[in-house]
Amino acid sequence: MLPAPLTMQVRRGAIADLGSVLADSRVATSGRVAVAVGAGQGDKIASVIAPSLGEAQLFRVLDGSVDAAVSLGADLRKGAYEAVVGIGGGKTIDATKYAASLAGIPMVAVATNLSHDGICSPVASLVHEGGKGSFGVPMPLAIMVDLDFVHDAPPSLVRAGVGDVVSNLSAIEDWQLGAAERGEPIDGLACSMSRTAAEAVVGRTDSIESDAFLTVLAEALILSGMSMVIAGSSRPSSGGDHEILHAVDQLYPGTSNHGELAGIGAAFCFFLRDDAQRLTQVVECLRGHRLPVTPGDVGLSGEQFAEAVTLAPSTRPGRYTILEHLRLSESEVRERVEDYVRAVGR
């Protein structure tokens, strides 16, 4: 059976109606529910949800670290909560997903921005002493996106979601390459969902100022996350594009956000494939949403980006992408980066 959340709501005022979701006995029978909010909008969120949640215990998630998630998980176990609601951006939701898995309880995700596809993915991306890691977790039991809060979020974070979901197109090509070259099993349903999510966004001409666009973007990011649940891995949404972004994060932490780097990585991978049609489509989409396209757009030199591309395959050992397929030498990578910048740079 296709795994799916009990409910998915994308609209204005969604947070105010959270109580009706938690009243579902499949989420909690006794009503003993915890709410985790981020440090940024915690007070505002608390005031909005207070009328519908009554005595629910509120916890603050200080950051998106393993330590913060483990601390929240301990609190959830001690309080014997039946469920936890994570309200906020990617860091808060990922920390809450991991905490819920540690406590062995279901989690409801309420997103206040659309920066990446982690809203309902079976992965929590958390910071630890060694850098940033991905941890397998159950997907949320229910998902809500409040467009009022999304409109109030930093525009750069909302636009970043476009880069992340569009990178699915590159990830699917890599999965199909792995199937053709290595006999890797491929899930057609997961591929279809991931591709549908990307295609829903890549050709649109409206922008994040529009509720209609935000609704489609939210649905696309959620669908992308669900494709990973079906695949049992991040394969349908993470290929050479994500290998590059993880390498940038390792070598030059703080360079840019996840979605922006995923978009650049996808465009560069299509350049490596000599797929001019997709490259043009992806670049036009990124530029249309004021997202970076070249290394220089995020403050990296060509040499630095080439270093990241060279390191990229080591970030996902065993994963086969266009980067592993071409096996470019360091000098060849530098040449291809220079060619890419000339081809798409303004």
Side-chain angles (χ1 to χ4, degrees):
M1 180 181 294
L2 171 65
L6 295 177
T7 183
M8 183 185 81
Q9 299 182 26
V10 181
R11 59 184 176 84
R12 289 180 179 266
I15 288 179
D17 291 337
L18 184 56
S20 63
V21 174
L22 299 181
D24 190 321
S25 60
R26 292 172 295 179
V27 177
T29 56
S30 68
R32 187 164 178 74
V33 175
V35 178
V37 298
Q41 291 184 304
D43 291 335
K44 180 180 178 181
I45 291 170
S47 66
V48 172
I49 65 175
S52 64
L53 291 187
E55 302 299 318
Q57 180 65 47
L58 193 71
F59 293 95
R60 306 280 178 162
V61 180
L62 297 181
D63 53 38
S65 66
V66 171
D67 289 343
V70 170
S71 176
L72 176 59
D75 289 335
L76 296 176
R77 285 196 303 273
K78 285 187 292 186
Y81 295 100
E82 286 189 279
V84 58
V85 182
I87 308 177
K91 292 178 182 179
T92 301
I93 288 178
D94 277 3
T96 307
K97 280 196 292 188
Y98 190 61
S101 72
L102 294 177
I105 61 176
M107 180 257 190
V108 174
V110 183
T112 58
N113 74 42
L114 300 173
S115 59
H116 59 73
D117 61 12
I119 301 171
C120 82
S121 75
V123 176
S125 182
L126 301 170
V127 177
H128 52 81
E129 290 182 358
K132 199 170 190 178
S134 298
F135 302 85
V137 295
M139 73 176 293
L141 195 61
I143 302 161
M144 304 176 77
V145 179
D146 193 313
L147 296 184
D148 288 321
F149 280 85
V150 173
H151 277 293
D152 290 339
S156 60
L157 290 182
V158 182
R159 293 190 186 101
V162 176
D164 199 21
V165 76
V166 167
S167 74
N168 287 6
L169 297 171
S170 175
I172 293 166
E173 291 284 344
D174 282 331
W175 199 3
Q176 291 174 334
L177 182 64
E181 296 292 326
R182 297 289 182 88
E184 180 181 348
I186 189 167
D187 189 300
L189 179 58
C191 267
S192 177
M193 292 174 70
S194 178
R195 182 185 293 107
T196 297
E199 297 285 8
V201 171
V202 73
R204 290 187 71 98
T205 57
D206 47 354
S207 66
I208 63 169
E209 287 75 26
S210 158
D211 276 8
F213 179 82
L214 290 179
T215 299
V216 170
L217 177 59
E219 291 170 347
L221 292 170
I222 292 168
L223 193 61
S224 179
M226 290 179 66
S227 74
M228 290 186 266
V229 176
I230 292 169
S233 74
S234 62
R235 198 57 158 126
S237 301
S238 173
D241 42 273
H242 275 57
E243 289 182 336
I244 292 171
L245 82 83
H246 291 309
V248 172
D249 280 341
Q250 285 186 28
L251 293 171
Y252 309 105
T255 294
S256 187
N257 61 48
H258 180 100
E260 289 184 343
L261 292 176
I264 296 175
F268 181 69
C269 286
F270 278 120
F271 177 79
L272 292 181
R273 294 186 186 97
D274 293 323
D275 190 337
Q277 184 176 354
R278 274 298 193 194
L279 174 63
T280 299
Q281 187 181 35
V282 169
V283 167
E284 287 181 351
C285 176
L286 296 178
R287 286 217 174 99
H289 291 283
R290 288 182 275 172
L291 286 165
V293 174
T294 68
D297 293 339
V298 292
L300 293 177
S301 67
E303 190 72 23
Q304 289 172 320
F305 188 72
E307 185 181 2
V309 173
T310 302
L311 175 67
S314 68
T315 66
R316 287 291 182 272
R319 182 155 292 188
Y320 194 78
T321 77
I322 188 66
L323 302 179
E324 286 81 3
H325 181 69
L326 294 178
R327 300 177 62 185
L328 300 174
S329 66
E330 291 184 23
S331 62
E332 289 173 328
V333 169
R334 286 194 296 270
E335 289 176 6
R336 297 311 299 270
V337 170
E338 291 173 0
D339 292 342
Y340 169 75
V341 172
R342 281 194 294 268
V344 305
R346 288 183 172 177

